[in-house]
Amino acid sequence: MPTVREIVEEQVREGELYEKLDRNRVRCYACGHCCPIPDGQPGVCKVRFNRGGTLYVPWGYVGGVQCDPIEKKPFFHAYPGALAYSFGMLGCDLHCAYCQNWVTSQALRDPNAISQPLEASPEELVRDALGQGARVLVSTYNEPLITAEWAVAILKEAKAAGLITGFVSNGNGTPQVLEYLRPWLDLYKVDLKSFDDRHYRQLGGRLQPILDTIRRLHGMGLWVEIVTLLIPGFNDREDELRGMTDFLASVSPDIPWHVTAYHKDYKMTDPDNTRPEDLLRAIEIGKQAGLRYVYAGNLAGRVGNLEDTRCHNCATTLIKRYSYAIKDYRITPDGSCPDCGLAVPGRWASKFDGQITSRPFLPHRAAGLFTIADRR
Ligand code: SF4
Protein backbone atom coordinates (compact mmCIF):
# COMPACT_ATOMS: atom_id res chain seq x y z
CA MET A 1 0.00 0.00 0.00
CA PRO A 2 1.53 3.37 -0.98
CA THR A 3 2.18 5.83 1.82
CA VAL A 4 0.57 9.26 1.75
CA ARG A 5 3.98 10.74 0.99
CA GLU A 6 4.44 8.42 -2.00
CA ILE A 7 1.01 9.41 -3.31
CA VAL A 8 1.80 13.09 -2.91
CA GLU A 9 5.08 12.62 -4.79
CA GLU A 10 3.61 10.50 -7.61
CA GLN A 11 0.18 12.06 -8.25
CA VAL A 12 1.50 15.32 -9.69
CA ARG A 13 1.66 17.54 -12.73
CA GLU A 14 3.69 20.65 -13.51
CA GLY A 15 2.15 23.66 -11.78
CA GLU A 16 1.19 26.94 -13.42
CA LEU A 17 1.50 29.34 -10.50
CA TYR A 18 5.26 29.69 -10.33
CA GLU A 19 8.31 31.23 -11.92
CA LYS A 20 11.74 29.80 -12.49
CA LEU A 21 14.65 31.40 -10.63
CA ASP A 22 18.41 30.95 -10.96
CA ARG A 23 20.24 27.78 -9.82
CA ASN A 24 17.20 25.58 -10.53
CA ARG A 25 15.17 27.31 -7.84
CA VAL A 26 11.48 28.21 -8.33
CA ARG A 27 9.12 30.68 -6.65
CA CYS A 28 5.56 29.50 -6.03
CA TYR A 29 2.66 31.99 -6.03
CA ALA A 30 -0.19 29.71 -4.94
CA CYS A 31 -0.28 31.17 -1.44
CA GLY A 32 0.94 34.16 0.51
CA HIS A 33 4.16 32.45 1.54
CA CYS A 34 5.48 32.81 -2.04
CA CYS A 35 8.10 30.15 -1.22
CA PRO A 36 11.43 30.26 -3.01
CA ILE A 37 12.04 26.50 -3.34
CA PRO A 38 15.49 24.97 -4.00
CA ASP A 39 15.80 21.94 -6.29
CA GLY A 40 14.73 18.76 -4.50
CA GLN A 41 12.73 20.51 -1.79
CA PRO A 42 9.00 21.01 -1.06
CA GLY A 43 7.38 24.31 -0.14
CA VAL A 44 6.02 25.04 3.33
CA CYS A 45 2.77 23.21 2.44
CA LYS A 46 4.74 19.98 1.71
CA VAL A 47 2.58 19.11 -1.31
CA ARG A 48 4.22 21.31 -3.98
CA PHE A 49 7.84 20.59 -4.70
CA ASN A 50 10.73 21.44 -6.97
CA ARG A 51 12.20 18.60 -9.00
CA GLY A 52 14.97 19.66 -11.37
CA GLY A 53 13.82 23.27 -11.60
CA THR A 54 10.15 22.40 -12.28
CA LEU A 55 7.38 22.92 -9.71
CA TYR A 56 5.17 19.86 -9.32
CA VAL A 57 1.70 20.15 -7.80
CA PRO A 58 -1.01 17.69 -6.67
CA TRP A 59 -3.16 16.13 -9.38
CA GLY A 60 -5.69 13.33 -9.84
CA TYR A 61 -6.86 12.59 -6.31
CA VAL A 62 -8.83 13.96 -3.38
CA GLY A 63 -8.21 13.57 0.34
CA GLY A 64 -11.93 12.93 0.78
CA VAL A 65 -15.42 13.91 -0.38
CA GLN A 66 -18.53 14.68 1.60
CA CYS A 67 -22.02 16.05 0.96
CA ASP A 68 -22.63 19.02 3.23
CA PRO A 69 -25.51 21.44 3.57
CA ILE A 70 -24.14 24.76 2.29
CA GLU A 71 -24.90 26.18 5.76
CA LYS A 72 -22.02 24.09 7.11
CA LYS A 73 -19.38 25.92 5.02
CA PRO A 74 -20.82 28.28 6.30
CA PHE A 75 -22.50 30.28 3.55
CA PHE A 76 -25.72 31.85 4.83
CA HIS A 77 -26.28 34.30 1.95
CA ALA A 78 -25.68 31.91 -0.95
CA TYR A 79 -28.28 29.43 -2.19
CA PRO A 80 -29.69 28.49 1.25
CA GLY A 81 -30.54 24.84 1.57
CA ALA A 82 -28.32 23.76 -1.33
CA LEU A 83 -26.32 20.57 -1.12
CA ALA A 84 -22.61 21.45 -1.35
CA TYR A 85 -20.56 18.58 -2.75
CA SER A 86 -17.30 19.10 -0.91
CA PHE A 87 -13.84 17.76 -1.63
CA GLY A 88 -10.65 18.18 0.31
CA MET A 89 -7.02 17.55 -0.49
CA LEU A 90 -4.00 17.02 1.74
CA GLY A 91 -1.70 19.50 3.43
CA CYS A 92 -1.88 23.12 4.49
CA ASP A 93 0.26 26.24 4.41
CA LEU A 94 -0.53 26.94 8.10
CA HIS A 95 -0.31 24.65 11.13
CA CYS A 96 -3.04 25.77 13.54
CA ALA A 97 -2.87 23.86 16.81
CA TYR A 98 -6.69 23.83 17.01
CA CYS A 99 -7.36 22.62 13.45
CA GLN A 100 -10.63 20.70 13.18
CA ASN A 101 -9.56 19.06 9.89
CA TRP A 102 -6.06 18.11 11.01
CA VAL A 103 -6.26 14.51 9.74
CA THR A 104 -6.05 15.80 6.17
CA SER A 105 -4.52 19.26 6.62
CA GLN A 106 -1.53 17.98 8.62
CA ALA A 107 -1.22 14.65 6.77
CA LEU A 108 2.34 15.45 5.68
CA ARG A 109 3.53 16.88 9.01
CA ASP A 110 1.90 14.82 11.74
CA PRO A 111 2.44 11.02 11.81
CA ASN A 112 -0.86 10.68 13.70
CA ALA A 113 -2.76 12.21 10.77
CA ILE A 114 -3.48 9.15 8.65
CA SER A 115 -5.84 9.43 5.69
CA GLN A 116 -6.34 7.43 2.48
CA PRO A 117 -6.66 9.60 -0.63
CA LEU A 118 -9.17 8.69 -3.35
CA GLU A 119 -8.20 8.62 -7.01
CA ALA A 120 -10.51 10.92 -8.95
CA SER A 121 -10.96 12.78 -12.21
CA PRO A 122 -12.87 16.07 -12.59
CA GLU A 123 -15.51 14.21 -14.63
CA GLU A 124 -16.03 11.57 -11.92
CA LEU A 125 -16.32 14.16 -9.18
CA VAL A 126 -18.80 16.33 -11.07
CA ARG A 127 -20.85 13.32 -12.14
CA ASP A 128 -21.02 12.24 -8.51
CA ALA A 129 -21.92 15.75 -7.34
CA LEU A 130 -24.82 15.89 -9.82
CA GLY A 131 -25.89 12.38 -8.88
CA GLN A 132 -26.08 13.39 -5.22
CA GLY A 133 -28.31 16.34 -6.13
CA ALA A 134 -25.66 18.98 -5.40
CA ARG A 135 -26.15 22.50 -6.65
CA VAL A 136 -22.76 23.70 -5.38
CA LEU A 137 -19.26 22.20 -5.53
CA VAL A 138 -16.71 23.36 -2.96
CA SER A 139 -13.01 22.83 -2.33
CA THR A 140 -12.69 22.74 1.44
CA TYR A 141 -11.38 20.88 4.55
CA ASN A 142 -7.69 21.56 3.91
CA GLU A 143 -6.38 24.79 2.31
CA PRO A 144 -7.55 24.83 -1.33
CA LEU A 145 -5.15 27.55 -2.50
CA ILE A 146 -2.22 25.13 -2.33
CA THR A 147 -3.89 22.88 -4.91
CA ALA A 148 -5.25 25.70 -7.08
CA GLU A 149 -4.34 24.13 -10.45
CA TRP A 150 -6.14 20.85 -9.67
CA ALA A 151 -9.05 22.76 -8.16
CA VAL A 152 -9.44 24.79 -11.37
CA ALA A 153 -9.56 21.59 -13.44
CA ILE A 154 -12.48 20.44 -11.28
CA LEU A 155 -14.15 23.87 -11.10
CA LYS A 156 -14.08 24.20 -14.91
CA GLU A 157 -15.88 20.87 -15.22
CA ALA A 158 -18.34 21.90 -12.52
CA LYS A 159 -19.16 25.22 -14.20
CA ALA A 160 -19.65 23.49 -17.54
CA ALA A 161 -22.23 21.27 -15.80
CA GLY A 162 -24.05 24.29 -14.35
CA LEU A 163 -22.84 24.00 -10.76
CA ILE A 164 -22.07 26.94 -8.49
CA THR A 165 -18.49 26.79 -7.18
CA GLY A 166 -16.82 27.81 -3.96
CA PHE A 167 -13.64 27.86 -1.89
CA VAL A 168 -13.43 27.53 1.89
CA SER A 169 -10.02 28.98 2.62
CA ASN A 170 -7.70 30.56 5.16
CA GLY A 171 -7.39 33.51 2.76
CA ASN A 172 -3.58 33.44 2.57
CA GLY A 173 -3.70 34.33 -1.11
CA THR A 174 -1.67 36.24 -3.68
CA PRO A 175 -2.87 38.46 -6.53
CA GLN A 176 -1.65 35.76 -8.94
CA VAL A 177 -3.66 32.89 -7.47
CA LEU A 178 -6.81 34.97 -7.06
CA GLU A 179 -6.70 36.13 -10.69
CA TYR A 180 -6.12 32.51 -11.71
CA LEU A 181 -9.18 31.32 -9.79
CA ARG A 182 -11.46 34.24 -10.55
CA PRO A 183 -13.12 32.98 -13.75
CA TRP A 184 -14.09 29.69 -12.13
CA LEU A 185 -15.25 30.69 -8.65
CA ASP A 186 -18.53 32.15 -7.38
CA LEU A 187 -18.29 31.92 -3.58
CA TYR A 188 -15.35 32.36 -1.21
CA LYS A 189 -15.31 31.87 2.53
CA VAL A 190 -12.31 33.24 4.40
CA ASP A 191 -11.36 32.07 7.86
CA LEU A 192 -10.15 35.26 9.54
CA LYS A 193 -8.41 33.77 12.56
CA SER A 194 -7.14 36.86 14.32
CA PHE A 195 -6.40 40.54 13.84
CA ASP A 196 -3.01 40.33 15.48
CA ASP A 197 0.01 39.59 13.32
CA ARG A 198 1.77 37.85 16.25
CA HIS A 199 -1.09 35.37 16.49
CA TYR A 200 -0.92 34.69 12.78
CA ARG A 201 2.82 34.03 13.05
CA GLN A 202 2.06 31.44 15.75
CA LEU A 203 -0.13 29.68 13.19
CA GLY A 204 2.57 29.90 10.52
CA GLY A 205 1.29 32.88 8.53
CA ARG A 206 0.98 36.68 8.44
CA LEU A 207 -2.07 38.89 8.82
CA GLN A 208 -1.56 41.25 5.87
CA PRO A 209 -1.94 38.73 3.00
CA ILE A 210 -5.26 37.61 4.50
CA LEU A 211 -6.58 41.17 4.72
CA ASP A 212 -5.40 41.88 1.18
CA THR A 213 -7.16 38.72 -0.03
CA ILE A 214 -10.48 39.68 1.57
CA ARG A 215 -10.39 43.15 0.00
CA ARG A 216 -9.33 41.77 -3.37
CA LEU A 217 -12.00 39.04 -3.43
CA HIS A 218 -14.71 41.55 -2.65
CA GLY A 219 -13.37 43.90 -5.33
CA MET A 220 -13.47 41.03 -7.84
CA GLY A 221 -17.17 40.56 -7.23
CA LEU A 222 -17.03 37.09 -5.69
CA TRP A 223 -19.53 36.47 -2.91
CA VAL A 224 -17.48 36.56 0.30
CA GLU A 225 -18.40 35.43 3.81
CA ILE A 226 -16.04 35.54 6.78
CA VAL A 227 -15.74 33.16 9.71
CA THR A 228 -13.89 33.72 12.96
CA LEU A 229 -13.53 30.81 15.36
CA LEU A 230 -13.63 32.62 18.69
CA ILE A 231 -11.02 31.11 21.01
CA PRO A 232 -11.02 32.38 24.60
CA GLY A 233 -7.65 33.92 25.44
CA PHE A 234 -6.38 33.70 21.85
CA ASN A 235 -8.38 36.08 19.67
CA ASP A 236 -11.23 37.39 21.84
CA ARG A 237 -9.65 40.61 23.19
CA GLU A 238 -11.99 43.53 22.69
CA ASP A 239 -9.44 45.65 20.80
CA GLU A 240 -8.67 42.73 18.47
CA LEU A 241 -12.35 42.14 17.70
CA ARG A 242 -12.88 45.86 17.16
CA GLY A 243 -9.96 46.01 14.73
CA MET A 244 -11.24 42.96 12.87
CA THR A 245 -14.83 44.13 12.53
CA ASP A 246 -13.83 47.71 11.66
CA PHE A 247 -11.71 46.26 8.87
CA LEU A 248 -14.53 44.06 7.54
CA ALA A 249 -17.03 46.93 7.65
CA SER A 250 -14.52 49.09 5.74
CA VAL A 251 -14.52 46.48 2.95
CA SER A 252 -18.33 46.21 3.02
CA PRO A 253 -20.89 46.27 5.85
CA ASP A 254 -22.83 43.66 3.84
CA ILE A 255 -20.18 40.94 4.26
CA PRO A 256 -21.68 38.30 6.57
CA TRP A 257 -19.49 37.62 9.62
CA HIS A 258 -19.89 34.27 11.37
CA VAL A 259 -18.48 34.02 14.87
CA THR A 260 -18.27 30.36 15.79
CA ALA A 261 -17.61 28.57 19.05
CA TYR A 262 -14.28 26.81 19.64
CA HIS A 263 -14.18 23.43 21.28
CA LYS A 264 -11.02 21.70 22.42
CA ASP A 265 -9.41 19.93 19.45
CA TYR A 266 -6.11 18.59 18.13
CA LYS A 267 -3.16 20.08 20.06
CA MET A 268 -4.89 23.13 21.54
CA THR A 269 -6.72 21.99 24.64
CA ASP A 270 -5.84 24.75 27.12
CA PRO A 271 -8.49 27.39 26.34
CA ASP A 272 -11.99 26.87 27.68
CA ASN A 273 -14.70 26.06 25.18
CA THR A 274 -16.43 29.19 23.89
CA ARG A 275 -19.65 30.03 25.76
CA PRO A 276 -22.79 31.54 24.24
CA GLU A 277 -22.14 34.81 26.10
CA ASP A 278 -18.67 35.04 24.50
CA LEU A 279 -20.25 34.81 21.04
CA LEU A 280 -22.87 37.41 21.94
CA ARG A 281 -20.18 39.86 23.11
CA ALA A 282 -18.29 39.45 19.82
CA ILE A 283 -21.50 39.82 17.81
CA GLU A 284 -22.27 43.07 19.64
CA ILE A 285 -18.84 44.42 18.71
CA GLY A 286 -19.48 43.46 15.08
CA LYS A 287 -22.80 45.27 15.08
CA GLN A 288 -21.22 48.37 16.62
CA ALA A 289 -18.65 48.33 13.80
CA GLY A 290 -21.53 48.54 11.33
CA LEU A 291 -21.69 44.94 10.10
CA ARG A 292 -25.27 44.21 9.06
CA TYR A 293 -25.26 40.42 9.00
CA VAL A 294 -23.59 38.76 11.98
CA TYR A 295 -24.16 35.15 12.99
CA ALA A 296 -23.29 32.94 15.94
CA GLY A 297 -22.29 29.38 15.06
CA ASN A 298 -21.53 25.97 16.60
CA LEU A 299 -23.93 26.43 19.55
CA ALA A 300 -27.26 25.65 17.92
CA GLY A 301 -30.31 26.78 19.85
CA ARG A 302 -28.23 28.56 22.52
CA VAL A 303 -27.71 31.94 20.85
CA GLY A 304 -31.23 33.35 20.53
CA ASN A 305 -32.02 34.46 17.01
CA LEU A 306 -28.38 34.83 15.95
CA GLU A 307 -28.62 31.84 13.61
CA ASP A 308 -31.32 33.64 11.60
CA THR A 309 -31.07 36.14 8.75
CA ARG A 310 -33.05 39.30 9.41
CA CYS A 311 -33.76 42.22 7.11
CA HIS A 312 -31.31 45.02 7.81
CA ASN A 313 -34.02 47.60 7.14
CA CYS A 314 -37.19 46.33 8.84
CA ALA A 315 -35.79 43.49 11.02
CA THR A 316 -38.27 40.90 9.82
CA THR A 317 -36.92 37.34 9.87
CA LEU A 318 -36.00 36.27 6.35
CA ILE A 319 -34.45 32.85 7.03
CA LYS A 320 -34.96 30.92 10.24
CA ARG A 321 -32.31 28.30 11.06
CA TYR A 322 -31.47 25.74 13.66
CA SER A 323 -27.88 24.65 13.17
CA TYR A 324 -27.68 23.74 9.44
CA ALA A 325 -31.43 23.23 9.05
CA ILE A 326 -33.59 25.86 7.33
CA LYS A 327 -36.82 26.19 9.31
CA ASP A 328 -38.40 28.99 7.31
CA TYR A 329 -37.47 30.87 4.13
CA ARG A 330 -39.13 34.13 3.07
CA ILE A 331 -36.75 35.81 0.61
CA THR A 332 -38.55 36.75 -2.61
CA PRO A 333 -37.58 35.26 -6.01
CA ASP A 334 -35.67 38.45 -6.82
CA GLY A 335 -33.69 38.30 -3.56
CA SER A 336 -35.59 40.91 -1.53
CA CYS A 337 -37.32 41.27 1.80
CA PRO A 338 -41.03 40.36 1.37
CA ASP A 339 -42.09 43.06 3.87
CA CYS A 340 -40.11 46.18 2.94
CA GLY A 341 -38.64 45.23 -0.45
CA LEU A 342 -35.00 45.81 0.50
CA ALA A 343 -32.58 43.85 -1.71
CA VAL A 344 -30.80 41.34 0.52
CA PRO A 345 -27.08 41.06 -0.29
CA GLY A 346 -26.10 37.58 -1.43
CA ARG A 347 -26.62 35.05 -4.18
CA TRP A 348 -30.19 33.76 -4.13
CA ALA A 349 -31.98 31.07 -6.07
CA SER A 350 -35.23 32.11 -7.72
CA LYS A 351 -37.00 29.77 -5.35
CA PHE A 352 -36.21 27.74 -2.25
CA ASP A 353 -36.27 24.04 -3.08
CA GLY A 354 -35.98 22.68 0.44
CA GLN A 355 -32.94 20.79 1.70
CA ILE A 356 -31.71 17.37 0.61
CA THR A 357 -30.00 17.17 3.98
CA SER A 358 -29.28 19.32 6.99
CA ARG A 359 -26.49 16.95 8.06
CA PRO A 360 -23.28 15.95 6.29
CA PHE A 361 -23.06 12.51 4.75
CA LEU A 362 -20.37 10.52 2.94
CA PRO A 363 -21.13 9.66 -0.69
CA HIS A 364 -18.00 7.98 -1.95
CA ARG A 365 -19.09 4.33 -1.76
CA ALA A 366 -21.96 5.11 -4.13
CA ALA A 367 -19.74 7.24 -6.29
CA GLY A 368 -17.33 4.62 -7.48
CA LEU A 369 -14.32 6.55 -6.17
CA PHE A 370 -11.62 4.25 -4.83
CA THR A 371 -8.64 4.74 -2.62
CA ILE A 372 -5.42 4.84 -4.59
CA ALA A 373 -4.29 1.75 -2.70
CA ASP A 374 -7.44 -0.15 -3.80
CA ARG A 375 -6.98 0.76 -7.45
CA ARG A 376 -3.45 -0.64 -7.61
S1 SF4 B 1 1.39 26.83 -1.92
FE1 SF4 B 1 2.29 28.29 -0.48
S2 SF4 B 1 3.38 27.00 1.00
FE2 SF4 B 1 3.00 25.73 -0.81
S3 SF4 B 1 4.84 25.95 -2.06
FE3 SF4 B 1 3.36 27.45 -2.80
S4 SF4 B 1 3.87 29.34 -1.70
FE4 SF4 B 1 4.86 27.64 -0.58
Side-chain angles (χ1 to χ4, degrees):
M1 183 184 296
T3 64
V4 168
R5 182 163 304 283
E6 284 167 347
I7 291 168
V8 164
E9 288 177 359
E10 289 170 16
Q11 298 273 136
V12 291
R13 177 171 286 201
E14 182 178 359
E16 296 183 359
L17 290 158
Y18 81 106
E19 66 173 342
K20 292 180 185 282
L21 304 175
D22 60 351
R23 290 177 282 126
N24 262 6
R25 294 177 310 138
V26 300
R27 185 179 300 279
C28 175
Y29 291 107
C31 91
H33 290 326
C34 296
C35 298
I37 312 175
D39 191 1
Q41 296 297 315
V44 169
C45 60
K46 308 280 190 212
V47 297
R48 300 168 75 88
F49 55 88
N50 178 351
R51 198 187 278 155
T54 298
L55 183 74
Y56 287 91
V57 305
W59 200 269
Y61 66 94
V62 291
V65 292
Q66 184 167 290
C67 288
D68 289 338
I70 196 167
E71 286 71 23
K72 182 175 182 290
K73 301 292 112 192
F75 287 113
F76 275 16
H77 287 232
Y79 308 97
L83 187 73
Y85 187 86
S86 304
F87 69 93
M89 298 293 292
L90 302 175
C92 191
D93 52 334
L94 302 184
H95 47 77
C96 307
Y98 54 85
C99 183
Q100 294 173 358
N101 292 315
W102 64 274
V103 171
T104 50
S105 73
Q106 302 304 314
L108 281 305
R109 290 198 185 96
D110 187 331
N112 294 316
I114 298 167
S115 61
Q116 267 303 324
L118 304 167
E119 196 165 66
S121 68
E123 294 78 12
E124 283 173 311
L125 291 166
V126 169
R127 196 180 318 125
D128 191 32
L130 295 172
Q132 304 290 339
R135 176 160 203 164
V136 181
L137 182 138
V138 182
S139 184
T140 176
Y141 306 131
N142 74 317
E143 176 47 49
L145 289 170
I146 65 174
T147 47
E149 292 94 338
W150 170 234
V152 161
I154 299 167
L155 300 180
K156 279 183 182 173
E157 190 73 21
K159 297 234 52 99
L163 290 166
I164 308 295
T165 57
F167 255 32
V168 170
S169 163
N170 63 28
N172 187 26
T174 62
Q176 292 91 334
V177 72
L178 298 181
E179 283 298 337
Y180 181 79
L181 291 165
R182 177 186 196 166
W184 313 108
L185 265 186
D186 301 298
L187 316 173
Y188 205 115
K189 191 218 84 174
V190 175
D191 202 358
L192 181 55
K193 299 168 190 289
S194 170
F195 205 69
D196 185 328
D197 191 57
R198 287 169 308 166
H199 291 162
Y200 260 103
R201 286 178 191 268
Q202 276 177 258
L203 309 177
R206 292 180 296 126
L207 174 62
Q208 195 58 49
I210 285 96
L211 303 185
D212 292 345
T213 294
I214 292 171
R215 204 176 277 286
R216 192 175 294 272
L217 288 167
H218 184 262
M220 286 176 166
L222 274 71
W223 179 252
V224 179
E225 301 201 18
I226 306 293
V227 175
T228 299
L229 182 71
L230 194 70
I231 304 174
F234 177 69
N235 61 4
D236 66 340
R237 277 192 345 254
E238 180 166 339
D239 62 325
E240 184 165 353
L241 292 171
R242 286 203 186 282
M244 183 182 291
T245 52
D246 284 348
F247 166 76
L248 292 177
S250 79
V251 178
S252 168
D254 288 336
I255 291 180
W257 184 47
H258 303 256
V259 194
T260 58
Y262 156 87
H263 58 86
K264 296 173 193 278
D265 210 334
Y266 197 33
K267 292 178 181 168
M268 189 186 267
T269 52
D270 284 343
D272 293 330
N273 289 347
T274 312
R275 303 164 304 172
E277 53 266 41
D278 301 326
L279 294 185
L280 301 188
R281 181 176 66 86
I283 294 270
E284 203 43 52
I285 290 171
K287 285 182 181 170
Q288 288 168 11
L291 293 176
R292 294 170 176 159
Y293 302 96
V294 282
Y295 299 101
N298 285 358
L299 292 174
R302 298 170 62 195
V303 288
N305 60 7
L306 289 170
E307 296 179 90
D308 302 338
T309 298
R310 287 184 308 287
C311 176
H312 170 61
N313 184 44
C314 72
T316 194
T317 300
L318 298 168
I319 305 172
K320 192 156 186 53
R321 300 183 184 85
Y322 179 89
S323 185
Y324 307 141
I326 305 283
K327 298 297 187 183
D328 192 22
Y329 183 91
R330 297 184 60 234
I331 292 179
T332 65
D334 68 349
S336 302
C337 170
D339 291 356
C340 73
L342 183 83
V344 187
R347 302 284 186 271
W348 311 106
S350 56
K351 77 180 175 60
F352 177 61
D353 286 327
Q355 278 180 293
I356 291 175
T357 184
S358 60
R359 291 171 186 271
F361 64 90
L362 291 176
H364 69 262
R365 286 188 195 288
L369 301 181
F370 296 95
T371 65
I372 290 172
D374 286 344
R375 277 223 172 147
R376 288 181 180 186

